[in-house]
Short mmCIF file of all heavy atoms in Angstrom, two decimals:
data_model
loop_
_atom_site.label_atom_id
_atom_site.label_comp_id
_atom_site.label_asym_id
_atom_site.label_seq_id
_atom_site.Cartn_x
_atom_site.Cartn_y
_atom_site.Cartn_z
N LEU A 309 6.00 12.08 -4.14
CA LEU A 309 4.98 11.68 -5.11
C LEU A 309 5.31 10.32 -5.73
O LEU A 309 4.43 9.45 -5.83
CB LEU A 309 4.87 12.74 -6.21
CG LEU A 309 3.87 12.44 -7.33
CD1 LEU A 309 2.46 12.30 -6.77
CD2 LEU A 309 3.92 13.53 -8.40
N GLN A 310 6.56 10.12 -6.11
CA GLN A 310 6.94 8.82 -6.66
C GLN A 310 6.84 7.72 -5.61
O GLN A 310 6.42 6.60 -5.91
CB GLN A 310 8.37 8.90 -7.22
CG GLN A 310 8.46 9.66 -8.52
CD GLN A 310 9.75 9.39 -9.26
OE1 GLN A 310 10.61 8.65 -8.81
NE2 GLN A 310 9.90 10.01 -10.43
N LEU A 311 7.19 8.04 -4.38
CA LEU A 311 7.07 7.07 -3.29
C LEU A 311 5.63 6.64 -3.11
O LEU A 311 5.33 5.45 -2.96
CB LEU A 311 7.62 7.69 -2.00
CG LEU A 311 7.51 6.85 -0.72
CD1 LEU A 311 8.37 5.60 -0.84
CD2 LEU A 311 7.95 7.68 0.49
N VAL A 312 4.70 7.61 -3.14
CA VAL A 312 3.27 7.31 -2.97
C VAL A 312 2.75 6.48 -4.14
O VAL A 312 2.02 5.50 -3.95
CB VAL A 312 2.47 8.61 -2.84
CG1 VAL A 312 0.97 8.33 -2.90
CG2 VAL A 312 2.81 9.31 -1.53
N LEU A 313 3.14 6.84 -5.37
CA LEU A 313 2.65 6.12 -6.55
C LEU A 313 3.13 4.67 -6.56
O LEU A 313 2.37 3.75 -6.88
CB LEU A 313 3.10 6.84 -7.82
CG LEU A 313 2.45 8.20 -8.10
CD1 LEU A 313 3.04 8.84 -9.35
CD2 LEU A 313 0.94 8.06 -8.23
N ILE A 314 4.40 4.46 -6.21
CA ILE A 314 4.94 3.09 -6.17
C ILE A 314 4.23 2.28 -5.09
O ILE A 314 3.89 1.11 -5.29
CB ILE A 314 6.46 3.12 -5.93
CG1 ILE A 314 7.17 3.77 -7.11
CG2 ILE A 314 7.00 1.70 -5.72
CD1 ILE A 314 8.66 4.00 -6.89
N THR A 315 3.99 2.91 -3.93
CA THR A 315 3.30 2.21 -2.85
C THR A 315 1.87 1.86 -3.24
O THR A 315 1.37 0.78 -2.90
CB THR A 315 3.30 3.08 -1.58
OG1 THR A 315 4.65 3.44 -1.25
CG2 THR A 315 2.69 2.33 -0.41
N LEU A 316 1.20 2.77 -3.95
CA LEU A 316 -0.16 2.47 -4.41
C LEU A 316 -0.16 1.29 -5.38
O LEU A 316 -1.10 0.47 -5.38
CB LEU A 316 -0.76 3.71 -5.09
CG LEU A 316 -1.15 4.86 -4.17
CD1 LEU A 316 -1.65 6.05 -4.98
CD2 LEU A 316 -2.20 4.42 -3.16
N GLY A 317 0.89 1.21 -6.22
CA GLY A 317 1.02 0.05 -7.10
C GLY A 317 1.16 -1.24 -6.32
O GLY A 317 0.61 -2.29 -6.70
N LEU A 318 1.87 -1.17 -5.19
CA LEU A 318 2.02 -2.33 -4.31
C LEU A 318 0.68 -2.69 -3.65
O LEU A 318 0.31 -3.87 -3.59
CB LEU A 318 3.08 -2.04 -3.25
CG LEU A 318 3.34 -3.12 -2.20
CD1 LEU A 318 3.92 -4.37 -2.85
CD2 LEU A 318 4.29 -2.60 -1.13
N LEU A 319 -0.04 -1.68 -3.18
CA LEU A 319 -1.32 -1.92 -2.51
C LEU A 319 -2.37 -2.49 -3.46
O LEU A 319 -3.29 -3.19 -3.04
CB LEU A 319 -1.84 -0.61 -1.90
CG LEU A 319 -1.03 -0.03 -0.74
CD1 LEU A 319 -1.59 1.32 -0.34
CD2 LEU A 319 -0.99 -0.97 0.44
N PHE A 320 -2.23 -2.18 -4.75
CA PHE A 320 -3.22 -2.60 -5.74
C PHE A 320 -3.30 -4.12 -5.85
O PHE A 320 -4.38 -4.68 -6.07
CB PHE A 320 -2.86 -2.00 -7.11
CG PHE A 320 -3.84 -2.32 -8.19
CD1 PHE A 320 -5.00 -1.57 -8.33
CD2 PHE A 320 -3.61 -3.37 -9.08
CE1 PHE A 320 -5.92 -1.86 -9.33
CE2 PHE A 320 -4.53 -3.66 -10.07
CZ PHE A 320 -5.68 -2.91 -10.20
N ASN A 321 -2.16 -4.80 -5.68
CA ASN A 321 -2.14 -6.23 -5.96
C ASN A 321 -1.67 -7.09 -4.78
O ASN A 321 -1.57 -8.29 -4.91
CB ASN A 321 -1.24 -6.51 -7.17
CG ASN A 321 -1.52 -7.84 -7.82
OD1 ASN A 321 -2.65 -8.30 -7.83
ND2 ASN A 321 -0.50 -8.49 -8.35
N TRP A 322 -1.37 -6.45 -3.66
CA TRP A 322 -0.88 -7.19 -2.51
C TRP A 322 -1.86 -7.07 -1.36
O TRP A 322 -2.49 -6.03 -1.17
CB TRP A 322 0.50 -6.69 -2.08
CG TRP A 322 1.59 -7.10 -3.04
CD1 TRP A 322 1.69 -6.77 -4.35
CD2 TRP A 322 2.71 -7.92 -2.75
NE1 TRP A 322 2.81 -7.32 -4.91
CE2 TRP A 322 3.46 -8.05 -3.95
CE3 TRP A 322 3.17 -8.58 -1.61
CZ2 TRP A 322 4.63 -8.79 -4.02
CZ3 TRP A 322 4.34 -9.31 -1.68
CH2 TRP A 322 5.05 -9.42 -2.88
N ASN A 323 -1.96 -8.11 -0.60
CA ASN A 323 -2.94 -8.16 0.48
C ASN A 323 -2.39 -7.49 1.75
O ASN A 323 -1.43 -7.97 2.34
CB ASN A 323 -3.29 -9.62 0.78
CG ASN A 323 -4.30 -9.73 1.91
OD1 ASN A 323 -5.00 -8.77 2.22
ND2 ASN A 323 -4.37 -10.90 2.52
N PHE A 324 -3.00 -6.37 2.13
CA PHE A 324 -2.62 -5.67 3.36
C PHE A 324 -3.81 -5.63 4.32
O PHE A 324 -4.01 -4.65 5.03
CB PHE A 324 -2.17 -4.24 3.04
CG PHE A 324 -0.76 -4.15 2.50
CD1 PHE A 324 -0.52 -4.40 1.16
CD2 PHE A 324 0.30 -3.85 3.33
CE1 PHE A 324 0.76 -4.31 0.65
CE2 PHE A 324 1.58 -3.77 2.83
CZ PHE A 324 1.83 -4.00 1.49
N SER A 325 -4.57 -6.69 4.33
CA SER A 325 -5.78 -6.72 5.15
C SER A 325 -5.48 -6.70 6.65
O SER A 325 -6.37 -6.40 7.45
CB SER A 325 -6.61 -7.96 4.80
OG SER A 325 -5.85 -9.14 5.01
N ASN A 326 -4.24 -7.04 7.04
CA ASN A 326 -3.89 -7.03 8.45
C ASN A 326 -3.66 -5.62 8.99
O ASN A 326 -3.49 -5.43 10.19
CB ASN A 326 -2.65 -7.89 8.70
CG ASN A 326 -1.42 -7.33 8.00
OD1 ASN A 326 -1.46 -7.01 6.80
ND2 ASN A 326 -0.32 -7.21 8.73
N LEU A 327 -3.63 -4.62 8.08
CA LEU A 327 -3.40 -3.23 8.50
C LEU A 327 -4.71 -2.45 8.40
O LEU A 327 -5.43 -2.55 7.42
CB LEU A 327 -2.34 -2.57 7.61
CG LEU A 327 -0.96 -3.22 7.59
CD1 LEU A 327 -0.05 -2.46 6.64
CD2 LEU A 327 -0.35 -3.29 8.98
N ASN A 328 -4.99 -1.65 9.44
CA ASN A 328 -6.17 -0.80 9.39
C ASN A 328 -5.79 0.61 8.93
O ASN A 328 -4.62 0.87 8.61
CB ASN A 328 -6.86 -0.75 10.76
CG ASN A 328 -5.91 -0.33 11.88
OD1 ASN A 328 -5.05 0.54 11.66
ND2 ASN A 328 -6.06 -0.92 13.05
N GLY A 329 -6.75 1.50 8.89
CA GLY A 329 -6.49 2.85 8.41
C GLY A 329 -5.46 3.60 9.24
O GLY A 329 -4.64 4.35 8.71
N LEU A 330 -5.49 3.40 10.57
CA LEU A 330 -4.54 4.07 11.45
C LEU A 330 -3.12 3.58 11.18
O LEU A 330 -2.16 4.38 11.17
CB LEU A 330 -4.92 3.82 12.91
CG LEU A 330 -4.10 4.57 13.96
CD1 LEU A 330 -4.29 6.07 13.81
CD2 LEU A 330 -4.48 4.11 15.36
N ASP A 331 -2.96 2.28 10.96
CA ASP A 331 -1.64 1.72 10.64
C ASP A 331 -1.10 2.33 9.34
O ASP A 331 0.07 2.70 9.26
CB ASP A 331 -1.71 0.20 10.50
CG ASP A 331 -2.04 -0.48 11.82
OD1 ASP A 331 -1.71 0.09 12.87
OD2 ASP A 331 -2.63 -1.58 11.78
N MET A 332 -1.95 2.42 8.34
CA MET A 332 -1.52 2.99 7.06
C MET A 332 -1.14 4.46 7.20
O MET A 332 -0.17 4.93 6.59
CB MET A 332 -2.65 2.85 6.03
CG MET A 332 -3.06 1.42 5.74
SD MET A 332 -1.72 0.43 5.04
CE MET A 332 -1.56 1.18 3.43
#
């Protein structure tokens, strides 16, 4: 749960447009 929350914080402000849904 903490791993997911921290990662969501990263996704909120960082550009991951090079990754699609399958990559995620």
Side-chain angles (χ1 to χ4, degrees):
L309 178 60
Q310 286 197 359
L311 177 65
V312 170
L313 291 177
I314 295 173
T315 305
L316 288 176
L318 178 65
L319 293 175
F320 183 82
N321 200 33
W322 288 61
N323 180 20
F324 282 82
S325 58
N326 63 312
L327 301 179
N328 55 38
L330 186 63
D331 293 333
M332 299 298 291

